[in-house]
Amino acid sequence: EAPRESHDEL
Amino acid sequence: MNIFRLLGDLAHLASIFVLIHKIQKTRSCRGISFKTQALYALVFVTRYVDLLYHWISLYNFVMKLFFMASSCYILYLMKFRYRPTHDPSIDTFKIEYLLGPSFFLSLIFNYEFSLTEIMWTFSIYLESVAIFPQLFMLQRTGEAETITTHYLAALGIYRALYLPNWIYRYITQDMVDPIAITAGLVQTGLYLDFFYVYFTKVLHGQKFELPA
């Protein structure tokens, strides 16, 4: 599962 | 959002304002690598395509727009407005060496083999090394205007602050992002030499000069 939470970062 | 990330983002914002201020105040982009600035513009455009289909928050939206717009504005200033003050003969780092490996690594090490995920991953890898042409230029000239060093320091502090942010997120949210963390460590590591001179000399009022 991709840690997509990190995609909320800049 | 935690304090480390907020301060990191603010440092990133500050770095861009310092850079624009430097160019406008000295009416010159001397000492600034156009190649590094062009790479940052590419980083933002490839990373923030999710603006088109994925809403996160107003903060996120505004910041992404700002980073894309400001990086394009800086390219405009360097390429058109203050073009005569830019000397391509000292901005000679070959960006193929950064673009190529970033692209191939993003094809191999990604979270999902899809166009947008590969673009995101590519932008992360590219950002981690995009400062190379700028540092290379600094190395060649051996000195820098103080305001330029403030720009570089803010830019370095931005990614350095993301490191405690990731530790905090690991502890509080159990979140681990190996791609971002690895690239972030590399990116911060590239600044260590610069930080040493900045904190020991520039902040004590001395000029940024590398030992001969």
Side-chain angles (χ1 to χ4, degrees):
Chain A
E1 183 61 32
R4 285 182 199 287
E5 297 90 339
S6 68
H7 290 25
D8 68 8
E9 293 179 344
L10 301 161
Chain B
M1 180 65 76
N2 57 68
I3 188 70
F4 304 111
R5 218 197 106 188
L6 181 64
L7 290 177
D9 288 347
L10 291 178
H12 197 183
L13 271 186
S15 76
I16 289 169
F17 284 120
V18 170
L19 178 59
I20 293 174
H21 177 70
K22 173 253 172 323
I23 294 174
Q24 291 182 334
K25 192 182 143 205
T26 64
R27 302 185 58 77
S28 160
C29 43
R30 194 168 73 92
I32 305 297
S33 164
F34 180 80
K35 290 181 175 180
T36 283
Q37 297 307 319
L39 290 178
Y40 281 131
L42 181 62
V43 162
F44 293 139
V45 171
T46 50
R47 189 177 308 168
Y48 299 159
V49 280
D50 68 349
L51 273 179
L52 299 172
Y53 59 88
H54 183 46
W55 178 263
I56 295 169
S57 68
L58 184 64
Y59 172 84
N60 196 274
F61 180 80
V62 172
M63 293 289 260
K64 283 176 175 174
L65 275 189
F66 175 81
F67 287 127
M68 286 202 288
S70 60
S71 63
C72 292
Y73 178 60
I74 288 163
L75 291 186
Y76 158 77
L77 288 178
M78 297 189 76
K79 206 69 195 170
F80 298 101
R81 190 106 172 69
Y82 298 108
R83 188 190 182 96
T85 63
H86 175 246
D87 183 3
S89 68
I90 51 167
D91 191 11
T92 51
F93 192 91
K94 292 217 182 315
I95 53 172
E96 296 88 324
Y97 297 152
L98 307 177
L99 289 166
S102 299
F103 179 65
F104 283 109
L105 279 176
S106 67
L107 292 180
I108 301 165
F109 301 104
N110 54 58
Y111 294 133
E112 188 191 292
F113 201 82
S114 69
L115 180 64
T116 51
E117 271 301 303
I118 287 170
M119 284 170 79
W120 179 86
T121 313
F122 169 74
S123 82
I124 294 286
Y125 293 150
L126 185 60
E127 184 192 345
S128 70
V129 291
I131 199 64
F132 260 121
Q134 179 67 62
L135 293 178
F136 185 68
M137 206 165 145
L138 208 63
Q139 198 72 244
R140 280 192 65 165
T141 52
E143 56 168 50
E145 292 169 82
T146 301
I147 191 160
T148 302
T149 65
H150 294 327
Y151 159 67
L152 283 169
L155 197 58
I157 286 166
Y158 140 66
R159 218 45 177 181
L161 281 167
Y162 263 63
L163 300 176
N165 157 60
W166 290 321
I167 294 170
Y168 183 88
R169 293 189 81 170
Y170 169 67
I171 294 168
T172 57
Q173 302 168 8
D174 216 20
M175 191 203 87
V176 183
D177 182 337
I179 288 178
I181 292 171
T182 310
L185 282 169
V186 170
Q187 190 171 343
T188 308
L190 295 182
Y191 283 90
L192 292 179
D193 267 357
F194 168 81
F195 277 151
Y196 178 76
V197 180
Y198 182 76
F199 288 112
T200 57
K201 290 183 82 173
V202 179
L203 286 189
H204 292 88
Q206 297 171 46
K207 193 174 159 51
F208 184 94
E209 271 176 326
L210 295 174

